[in-house]
Structures are given as C-alpha cells and as structure tokens.
Amino acid sequence: MRVPRRGNSFMQKRRIAYMALGMMVLLLILLFRLAWIQGTAGIHMSAYGGRSLKEMSVRQRQEGIAIDSGRGQLTDRYGQPLTGGVVWAPVLFPDVDGKAALHGEELARLLRTNKKQLLTQWKGLQSPLIWRDGRGEPVQIKPNEASKLLKLAPSLIELVPYAKRYTDLPTGRQWLGFLYERGDRVGELPIGAAGLERTLEPLLSGVGKTFVSRFVDAQRRPLAHVSLRVSAPANAHYPLQVQTTIDLSLQEQLEKLTEANHLAEGAVVVLDAGNADVLAMVSRPFYNPVRVDPQQTTDWSNRALKAVTPGSIFKLVTAAAALESGVVQPKEQFHCHGTYGKYGLTCWKKEGHGTLNLEEGLAVSCNIVFAHLGERLKPEQIQATASALGLSRTVGWQERNLAGLPQFRPLDHEEKGAVFGSHTNAADRGVRVQTAIGQRDVLVTPLQAANLIVTLLHDGQVHAPRLVNRISYADGGTMLELPAHASPAPQGSHQIHASTARALREAMEKVVAHGTGVSLRDKSWHLAGKSGTAQALKNGRPINHQWFIGYGPVERPRYAVAVLVQNAPKHSANRATALFGQVMDLLAQFSSAPRAVSRSSS
C-alpha cells in the first residue's frame, strides 16, 4: 500500500484556506453592497428613471380598491345619463402607527360619524376601505372639507373619484331596474336583477374593474413621492353605452306630476304617436334602485307592464270587433233605460241614456249598448280583434338572435294580459256581456293601452313599443341600431280595416266633445280618448281601477298616453281623466320649448 506524502497534504490544506478566505472576502463585499443600498435607497437616481431602488423593489406591493365596476352605462334619447356619476369619496388605508387617534374627533365629524366607531373600525382595518354612511352609500366630501381632511390624516385618507351608478332617491323608472349582489358570493360583481339592467346584462357586464392603488413598504407604510395609481382594462370597445328612447326631462316632470296628484298606485305611459317609442314610463309607488329588497315586489315591479282589469277602455275593442264582423251598423239605434234586464247588468247612469247609436254609446260609455254587442259577438271574434289590436299578447320591441342573445327583449317581465280566462266558458252569453264592457277575465297593461291608441292612429297597424334604440362602443362607434318596427302579428291574425280605426278615432273625439271626457275640452290641445272604470277586489274589498287613454293634438297627433289609477275607492271620481289632461298640458309645453340637444335620428 502507498503512503501519501506529507507535503501533498500541506499543499491541499493551504488551497482550502485560500478558497475559504476568498469566499469570506466576497461575502463581506456583498454585505457591504447591501448595506450601501439600504442606506441610500431613499435617494432618487436618474439611472432608474427618477425612482429609488427601494421604490423599485416594492413596485408590486400595492394596496388598492375598486372605484368602478366597468359596467356599461345607459342614457336617455338625448345622451343624458340615466346611470353613472362620479362622487369624491374618502378611502381609509390601514393605520399601522395609530396616527388617526391624534385628530379622531375632527376626522369623525368630517366623515359623518362618531370618534369611537371610526377609530374602532380603523384599528382593525387590514385593507383599504371606502368610507360609507349608515345607509351604505359612500360619504361625499364637500370641496371645502377635502383639503382639511387630507391634512389631518396624510397617507391614511385619500379622496378618489368613485363611480356611483344610481342617485339615492325614489323614482318611477322601474324599467331601468337595479343591481343585486348575492351575499354568498362576496367579491363578485353585482348583476342586473330587473329592468334593463337584467335584460341587457350580457352587454352591460363589462370586461373588468378600475382600481386605484398606492405602493407601500414591508410595514405597509406608503412610499414617499409615489402618487396614487389608477389601472383599468385597456379596451377601446368597453364599457358599452345604451341609448334609450326615454326623454329624461319629461320623465322627471311626469314623476313630479304624479307626486303632486298623490298617485299612490298606478302608471303613466307616454308613447311617440309616430312609431310607439317609449318617451316616458312612470310607475307608482316609486322605488329606490340603491335600496331594493328583491323579495318585496310592491315597489320595484313596473306597473306599466302589469295587466289589470281595463273596464270601459276595452269597449274600443268590442266596438272594433262588432264593426269588423258586421254585427252592428254605425247608425243602428240602441235604447238604454239604465238596466239591461238580465245578468244583473246596469248602466253607470241609473236613469239611462235613452236612444243612441254606437258612436254615441262609446262617447258616453253606455254599458247597455255594449252588452247587446257582447251577446251578438262570438268569443273568437272578440279574441281575434283584441289580438289584432295588440292586446292579450306582448307587444314590446323584440328580436331573435341579436347581439349574441337568443331573444333580445329589453322590456322586462311584460305581461300579455287576457280576454277570456283559461277555465271560462266563453260560449256563455253572460260571460261575453261582462267581457264586452272590460270586466270578468279581461286584463290589459298600461303599455298595451297606450299602444292601442297608436294602433288606431295608424289605421290598425300594431307597432312594437321600443325602449332602446342604439348600443354604442366606448369609443363612440355603433355596435347595434335597433330600428322601430311593427309588432309581429299572431298566426292567422288580420289587421282591422282603416275605416274601423277611423270610426273609433271619431268616437274618441266625441268622448271629449260631449262624453265622459268633457272636462278635457279646456286643455292646451284638442284631445281625444276613452275613459274607463273597472270594478275589482283587493283583499276582499271592492275598489276601482280608473283609466283614461287618448292622444293629442287631434289635428296632428304627437303623443299617445295611458293613465292608470289603481285601487281607488269604489265611488270616487275618475282621477285618471284629470291626470291625463295635466299630462297633455305638460306635453304641449315640452313640444313648444326648444331643446339643447337635437333628437336622435332613429
């Protein structure tokens, strides 16, 4: 066996010592370099674009909060916003040093709260928080308070432009809808739960949030000289903007008008007489889109799209059916003695109307005349005419396979109404008599009622009321144009004759001239229409639904209007007629007033 030399062992140990010494020197150099970086990190160096090395080392350490969900916005026909708006809201950042307590009392006053609640919540804060009031809305800081607030808590409070979707006030714009945030899905964006917010959800949902953030160090203290940063999705097309057919100024004035008239329950619908566009749609009671309980439908459901008993306005349909089927001649004489003699039917005028023809019977809304017509008509004749005039079916604008949606239908939960009930024996003469005067199972929505007027003004052609006319990209380019069009007729349905429509329009003029609408003769315009009072029950108590539908001015019709006053006391006067007159006076003022923005061409 070979024995190693002693000299070789010595040389090997010396090399190891040299290597160890070299590694120690390198380690000392590295430690010195790190110490130098730590000592000079606050100094800005031009070689790094004006940022310190310390700042650059923590650029990914951010504390931020979403200030805009990126959801698409809605406007009226003139571009006035229906959703969206910016408020300056305070954002509280974690107080790692407990500095907020130094000015707790003054900060609490500016933030509309008390010192104990503010400091308690601030102490436990782990992430930025938009400060909200007791109702859950971001506290809005007044301009004269902003500088004072920021000076009291530098780096702990920042004011950010927060996108607020709705005004926190009750309105009659249930067609707009509201957003719903599910409690079991914290952090997810709220979704549309009703109205346009729901029907246009796939288009409005957007592509991402906008965040405001700031950079902090390892102890979560803000970096000096680094301002807040706003980051948003880089997409020229989104969020989308939806232009509705609504005239916001008119909508607001009509809402005020219903309040002034103490309308508790009901609806007002104003359509463009030319193409059935929805210019205004007010539903009572009002709802607040900021505070909605989806389980409680009393306020947020749209009364303009809910079907109720129409009463005598349905006599227009009965008259049309009688003329179309030839069971009556326009000048045929009827005799009203106040009672019909069977089915327990009476006329609203106890002493009777005497001798009168169809036009006169419609003008004074004589039940006896229409009871005779109801017995003469077959059930299918009444049903077919109602359908031909846009009743007992949905009429709102809709299209298949549009914008990636199998059914594009902006109006939410529109009811179709009915003429005969599914279990009703329509062959029974007594049933047809009640149906002919708009009672029994007949159901009509205010939208259908207003659209019926547009149909008669167009000689029987049923238009589809439109609520949305254009959808645009964020850069202003057009994504979709939604042109006005006729409502698709049911299979086998036939349009009424122009002569029938003309006869009904002449009868509606007589309603105002010397019939049930005579109180409207002194209005700004020459008007025409039809009143109605429907008997119904609410919680076992007899009540009335009061209607008036019509148009104006007669010489050149511009607007078709339906007014419904629901659940009125049984023997009260028809408030709908008076409200209809006030609506028409308001429309006359709007028509003569210049507008700052030109009307949409669609």
Side-chain angles (χ1 to χ4, degrees), residues 182 197 248 257 271 310 324 382 422 429 467 494 532:
R182 289 183 53 174
E197 296 281 24
L248 180 57
L257 189 60
L271 301 184
E324 289 288 297
I382 302 175
S422 57
R429 290 184 175 226
L467 187 58
H494 299 285

Side-chain angles (χ1 to χ4, degrees), residues 371-514:
H372 282 291
L373 299 182
E375 287 205 82
R376 296 179 189 181
L377 287 164
K378 297 176 182 179
E380 54 269 24
Q381 291 172 326
I382 302 175
Q383 178 66 67
T385 303
S387 182
L389 291 171
L391 306 184
S392 70
R393 60 186 174 101
T394 58
V395 292
W397 195 101
Q398 58 182 292
E399 194 67 71
R400 292 183 181 275
N401 301 315
L402 189 66
L405 301 175
Q407 189 72 33
F408 191 92
R409 182 182 294 174
L411 287 168
D412 187 29
H413 290 105
E414 179 193 358
E415 296 182 354
K416 66 179 183 179
V419 175
F420 297 103
S422 57
H423 301 292
T424 298
N425 180 15
D428 185 290
R429 290 184 175 226
V431 169
R432 298 205 305 278
V433 164
Q434 290 292 324
T435 301
I437 62 173
Q439 291 286 157
R440 189 74 190 198
D441 302 314
V442 186
L443 296 172
V444 174
T445 71
L447 177 68
Q448 289 173 328
N451 201 51
L452 168 62
I453 298 299
V454 178
T455 299
L456 295 177
L457 290 171
H458 288 263
D459 291 336
Q461 184 183 46
V462 183
H463 284 67
R466 185 174 57 154
L467 187 58
V468 175
N469 62 23
R470 181 182 294 109
I471 300 176
S472 303
Y473 291 115
D475 59 9
T478 298
M479 177 186 181
L480 279 177
E481 292 276 4
L482 283 63
H485 62 57
S487 176
Q491 188 173 5
S493 177
H494 299 285
Q495 183 175 314
I496 66 169
H497 292 88
S499 58
T500 298
R502 185 166 55 252
L504 296 180
R505 294 198 301 270
E506 291 172 354
M508 285 191 286
E509 291 184 46
K510 297 294 193 302
V511 169
V512 176
H514 51 72

Side-chain angles (χ1 to χ4, degrees), residues 521-596:
R521 287 191 300 185
D522 62 347
K523 295 300 172 181
S524 302
W525 281 339
H526 180 196
L527 305 175
K530 181 72 186 79
S531 63
T533 301
Q535 298 174 358
L537 293 175
K538 182 180 182 181
N539 301 324
R541 176 175 57 90
I543 50 90
N544 286 339
H545 298 317
Q546 301 171 347
W547 293 81
F548 199 95
I549 63 176
Y551 62 95
V554 168
E555 295 76 16
R556 189 180 178 185
R558 298 188 61 177
Y559 304 101
V561 175
V563 174
L564 167 64
V565 177
Q566 283 184 270
N567 303 322
K570 184 177 180 182
H571 299 292
S572 60
N574 192 320
R575 294 171 56 204
T577 303
L579 183 52
F580 174 88
Q582 294 176 48
V583 170
M584 280 300 187
D585 279 347
L586 182 63
L587 289 170
Q589 295 174 19
F590 264 76
S591 298
S592 60
R595 301 305 298 260

